[in-house]
Structure formats: C-alpha cells, structure tokens
Amino acid sequence: MTAAYRSAHFNAGCLLIMATTLCAVFLLIASSHAYDGNLSFASYYGDHMVLKMAPEKAVLWGYGPEGEQVTVFLSGPVKQKTSPVTVTKGIWRVTLDPVEAGGPYIVTAAVHNMTATLTDVLFGDVWLCGGQSNMLFEVYKLLNASEELAQAEKYPHVRTFMVALNRSNDELTELIQVELPWSVPTAENLPGFSAVCWLFGRYMYKHLKYPIGMVESCWGGTPVEAWSSSRALQRCELESTGANHYENNSVMWNSMIHPLLNMTLKGAIWYQGEANVEYHQDKYNCSFPAMIDDWRMAFHLGSGGQTAIDFPFGFVQLSTDQKSSADDGYPNVRWHQTADTGFVPNPRMKRTFMAVALDLPDEISPYGTIHPRDKEDVAYRLTLGARAVAYNEPHVPFLGPFPSKITSSQMYVNITYDQMVSATPSKYIFEICCSEILAPRGPKSQWVPAPIMRSNSTTVMLSASFCPSTTEVAALRYAWRDWPCDFKACPIYSANRVLPAPPFIAHRTTTEGHFWRR
C-alpha cells in the first residue's frame, strides 16, 4: 500500500460527502451483500484475525439465507460447536464460549448446504486505534522505518486490520469497505499501517506474550465530532451547529465505528485533537469525554455485554505544531483532553491513560511539524498506561509528575510534586499571572516568566520577581505553549526522566498563597 494510494483514497473519501449519489451506491452495495442469500461472515472477519480471548467471549456474525439454521464450529487446540441460530433479516449471530489465548483455529459457519470458513484465527486481545492524522501516520514514515519493517515477520502473532476511509450520514451495520484485511505482518503489508497502532501492539505483545489484534480506524484532519454519535453530541449541545463543519458530525462514527460495535474489544487508543484547535475548541472538555463514554456504552451493548462497559481508553496528549506560536490553541486542547484536570485517570475520565507528547517535537519532519516522526516514544508511553490501567499491573509508573501542593509569597512560588522529579533549569516554561486582586485568570491574561530558582527531589522553587511590587501571584501555569521545549528537553520529568510532566494551570484561592488547579 503506497502513500499515493492512501492519498488518492483520501480524496475519494472526501468526494463522498459531496456526492450523495455515489454515497448511495456504496450503501446499496453494502445492503446487497447483506441480503444476497449466500452464507458469509461480516466484512471485518477474515483469515488471520484475532478474536477476544477468555474471560470475555468473542461474537461472530454474518449473512445467510433467510430462515436457515447456522451452526458455528471451532477447531484447533480446543473444539466448540454452537447451538444453531436462525438467520433473521439476512443476518445470523453467535457468541462463542470463552477461549484461552492461542491458536491457530479454524472457524466454520455452516448451514445444511453451504459453509463459510476462517483459517489461522488466534485468540488474544483486540485493541481499536482511532483518531486523525497522527494516528494515521504510517510505519513507512518512521525515522527507523527500514529497521521496523525488517523485523515485522518476527511478530506473526500481532495481527493488523484497517478500515477504509468512508463517510456516511446514517449509522451503518456493515463497513462500506476494508482497506487492509486481517494480516500477518510483513515488510510488504505493514508500511501503510498506523505506526502508533502497530508499535503499541508490538510492544504489548513483547510484554504479554500472547496474540494481539490491532484494528485501525482513523482519518486525517477530522474533529472529534465526526467520531461521535448524535447521543454524545447532544450531551455537549453540539448536534446542530449550523454550517461551519456541520457536515462532519457523526459521519465517521456512522461508517467507521458503528459497524464494529459487535466486536469484543480489550480497549482503545486514540490520537486526535489537532482539528479541534480550530473547531469547537472550548467544547472539547465535554465532547472528548462524552465520546469515550458513548463508545464504551455502544461497544458494551453491541457485543452483548462482552466488551467491558468501562473498557480502558488510552490517548495521546497533543504534541506540537508551530515553534514560535503564541496561540493558546494547543495548550487549551491539551488541558481539555483531561477534562480540565491536567491528568488521567480522574473522576470524569475513569479507566483512561494518557501519553504526554509535548516534549517530542520534530522541527524537520518532511511531513510537517504537526506530524513528528518519533512514534516509538508515544507508543511506549501508551503501553505503560495500558499495563497499569488496562491490565492492572502493580507498580508501573505511567503518570508524569503533577503538583500536589502550590504556595506563593511575594518573591517565590513553591511547587511540591506528587512524586520524585528530575528538574533542570528553565527561565520561561513556568509562567505566573500577577494581579492586585484574587480572581480567576485565563490564557488571555497577562503572563510573565517564573524562572526556576532551585529544586530538590520533590519540590521546585520559582522566582516571582517579574510581578510588580504592588501585585501578587494570582495564577501559575506550566508548559502553556504550542511548542514548550525541544526534543525530550522539558525541565520537569519523573526521577528516571522517562515521563514528562504534563502541562497545568492553577489559580490562587486564598490570601495565604494557596492554589488549586483550574
């Protein structure tokens, strides 16, 4: 799969939104497949696929002659035979008994005069990868792409599947098109697959030692509204938005997520938000958590309760775009990605995990600075969160340092972190807002630098000397820029310098100089 092919397919997908007739043709094709009377599996099933392992149950469904009785047989390390189910409105569906990790298996659906068969099927964990262009960013664009592709065949138990780029104004039962059917990774079929999705799966396989299935469904330049159902949009008063981007609402949810709802998932990872810097930025603190909640409910119901109602959801906090930008769009969206808390999991976003990426800029990326090529660190940071949140592995550090206490005086601001830190000098990354009165401050307020004066294992002292003598520190923020530092050179990291501190903004609430986070 070449870059030119992906670009051409993107352009074709864009035409769908404008060409109602063409879209109707695609829908007709999907509908005719469902009712042509042949016995088959739905389009996202295939040879080499991964089905969810025990303790959850895998769901299988497809099409068949109306009224016929379909039985599914599983042969391999263990054998299963399901009870017959009746084809209703052209569709059959069964739920297997739990199957332990491993394989390979042969899965056969049968009626009295025909069969449909899947071969080389493995049981393990299945993860869905969503978002926009930084999730779409392909393996062949990595800095070490040749090395990554050369070792692809060493990971035959990491299987990949890619949904094609298509939109719909209505919720679809079936995918309009599959771009990459389930595949055993090779140097030939992996180049066009999502780098973050692949690397996450490969890293998790090396740790878990059982099959991993990675499902890519993402589209560059898309806002969160495109991936959200009308239910989720209503929660944030976004269902009817007039002209400006209204055509994007739910169009990828309808065609690229809704058809997958019967799939039993372990969890999802997400890399998106750049499009919302320009579109409904101030609503992202609602729209993103609402989308997560809605996906969880929908996959839980669609799989008959097999996908957890609170399945783990990991995401990448926005990296960087413009080095010299003074715009607050990226910092605001980073903050909103955490529901204005600064870290996850939090009470609004339970069972989530986040990879901070603001310290991974790429000034010379040939794909634009908005597309950094270092996806290895992104995927590794996601795996730490997955191990802790999704797999309940104890003692896995996955959160960077975050303030547990902030106090200020006329001359200094003292920050106590929730863990041991590694701090290096910086004159500009911390900023304070000076005021004669205590009042909430925001990104449009006047901020001045607060240089780091000294630090120890858990605290950092900042200078407040840039505040005029008639004022006091009213607010504090950290890394509140599009491009706050050079590559892995932010001033605050975990003690081992693996995890960067996420950005935050906090406001002073008492005359004694105590702060709370916004």
Side-chain angles (χ1 to χ4, degrees):
M1 185 181 345
T2 66
Y5 178 83
R6 291 296 296 266
S7 177
H9 196 61
F10 178 91
N11 292 334
C14 290
L15 289 174
L16 283 176
I17 196 78
M18 298 179 287
T20 305
T21 302
L22 182 58
C23 187
V25 170
F26 276 121
L27 293 177
L28 182 60
I29 292 171
S31 298
S32 65
H33 176 68
Y35 295 99
D36 65 3
N38 292 318
L39 181 68
S40 64
F41 289 90
S43 63
Y44 67 74
Y45 296 95
D47 298 342
H48 317 299
M49 79 176 302
V50 177
L51 292 171
K52 183 68 182 74
M53 68 179 193
E56 291 77 33
K57 302 175 183 179
V59 177
L60 298 166
W61 71 279
Y63 309 102
E66 188 68 22
E68 290 282 1
Q69 295 286 298
V70 177
T71 303
V72 174
F73 300 87
L74 185 69
S75 60
V78 298
K79 297 184 183 298
Q80 270 192 48
K81 176 183 176 181
T82 68
S83 298
V85 295
T86 303
V87 178
T88 304
K89 295 183 179 179
I91 292 176
W92 59 267
R93 169 178 164 144
V94 301
T95 301
L96 297 177
D97 291 332
V99 179
E100 297 298 324
Y105 287 87
I106 296 173
V107 182
T108 303
V111 295
H112 73 279
N113 61 349
M114 65 181 79
T115 61
T117 301
L118 308 175
T119 63
D120 187 31
V121 174
L122 303 179
F123 283 80
D125 280 341
V126 181
W127 285 83
L128 174 62
C129 305
Q132 57 178 110
S133 56
N134 270 303
M135 183 62 84
L136 192 73
F137 191 96
E138 299 94 335
V139 171
Y140 81 86
K141 295 178 179 177
L142 291 169
L143 281 168
N144 67 337
S146 57
E147 177 185 341
E148 191 64 43
L149 293 172
Q151 63 175 333
E153 294 183 15
K154 296 179 181 178
Y155 299 94
H157 286 182
V158 183
R159 306 289 174 85
T160 55
F161 177 89
M162 190 191 308
V163 176
L165 308 180
N166 287 289
R167 308 184 188 207
S168 172
N169 290 324
D170 301 299
E171 290 184 343
L172 304 182
T173 301
E174 176 66 290
L175 294 172
I176 294 172
Q177 193 176 1
V178 170
E179 180 141 333
L180 177 70
W182 282 102
S183 303
V184 179
T186 67
E188 289 70 42
N189 63 33
L190 190 60
F193 194 73
S194 161
V196 170
C197 194
W198 163 252
L199 290 166
F200 177 85
R202 183 168 75 77
Y203 294 165
M204 291 309 303
Y205 171 77
K206 288 182 70 174
H207 182 71
L208 297 170
K209 309 297 186 187
Y210 59 69
I212 303 291
M214 303 304 299
V215 177
E216 175 186 343
S217 185
C218 51
W219 192 327
T222 52
V224 72
E225 291 82 359
W227 300 96
S228 303
S229 72
S230 60
R231 295 181 304 271
L233 295 173
Q234 286 172 1
R235 289 178 58 183
C236 302
E237 300 180 348
L238 286 169
E239 188 183 27
S240 298
T241 57
N244 187 18
H245 277 271
Y246 174 63
E247 69 275 10
N248 279 324
N249 283 1
S250 303
V251 292
M252 265 66 88
W253 158 264
N254 292 337
S255 59
M256 297 176 67
I257 300 298
H258 191 269
L260 305 177
L261 294 184
N262 292 346
M263 185 181 292
T264 305
L265 298 178
K266 175 63 178 182
I269 57 174
W270 176 261
Y271 196 160
Q272 187 275 337
E274 297 90 344
N276 288 98
V277 170
E278 303 295 336
Y279 180 59
H280 288 157
Q281 178 192 123
D282 61 334
K283 290 281 192 175
Y284 203 83
N285 56 358
C286 178
S287 57
F288 182 44
M291 188 205 77
I292 296 173
D293 291 344
D294 190 72
W295 278 28
R296 286 171 165 170
M297 179 195 70
F299 274 96
H300 179 70
L301 294 176
S303 64
Q306 297 307 309
T307 298
I309 187 67
D310 60 347
F311 69 76
F313 194 104
F315 64 93
V316 183
Q317 194 177 46
L318 290 191
S319 182
T320 54
D321 184 15
Q322 299 298 321
K323 189 171 187 178
S324 59
S325 174
D327 185 80
D328 288 316
Y330 267 61
N332 289 344
V333 171
R334 290 183 188 122
W335 187 250
H336 294 334
Q337 284 179 293
T338 66
D340 297 354
T341 302
F343 59 89
V344 296
N346 61 52
R348 177 64 186 86
M349 301 176 69
K350 297 177 180 178
R351 296 207 75 202
T352 60
F353 54 95
M354 176 175 74
V356 176
L358 52 72
D359 69 327
L360 303 175
D362 188 352
E363 195 169 1
I364 59 172
S365 172
Y367 311 106
T369 53
I370 200 171
H371 299 127
R373 289 166 291 174
D374 175 17
K375 300 299 194 248
E376 291 86 350
D377 282 295
V378 169
Y380 175 69
R381 292 171 184 179
L382 283 172
T383 63
L384 295 178
R387 288 169 57 188
V389 174
Y391 295 94
N392 301 311
E393 190 174 334
H395 313 303
V396 177
F398 69 103
L399 300 171
F402 203 80
S404 59
K405 181 181 179 182
I406 304 171
T407 59
S408 68
S409 65
Q410 189 71 34
M411 294 300 296
Y412 301 105
V413 178
N414 290 289
I415 306 169
T416 301
Y417 282 93
D418 58 3
Q419 61 182 270
M420 295 182 68
V421 301
S422 172
T424 54
S426 174
K427 294 182 179 179
Y428 305 107
I429 201 163
F430 285 100
E431 296 172 291
I432 51 178
C433 187
C434 311
S435 177
E436 295 181 357
I437 60 172
L438 287 180
R441 300 290 144 180
K444 300 304 181 185
S445 302
Q446 294 300 310
W447 297 83
V448 297
I452 296 176
M453 301 301 293
R454 58 176 177 267
S455 63
N456 59 32
S457 60
T458 58
T459 64
V460 173
M461 176 182 284
L462 312 176
S463 170
S465 61
F466 282 89
C467 278
S469 58
T470 57
T471 66
E472 295 184 272
V473 177
L476 169 70
R477 66 186 188 184
Y478 171 75
W480 210 266
R481 298 180 187 175
D482 181 327
W483 191 303
C485 58
D486 290 330
F487 186 77
K488 291 188 178 180
C490 283
I492 309 296
Y493 283 84
S494 57
N496 61 4
R497 295 199 66 80
V498 170
L499 295 169
F504 71 84
I505 186 168
H507 297 275
R508 184 175 152 202
T509 56
T510 71
T511 55
E512 289 77 23
H514 295 284
F515 285 67
W516 69 297
R517 294 182 295 278
R518 188 175 78 177

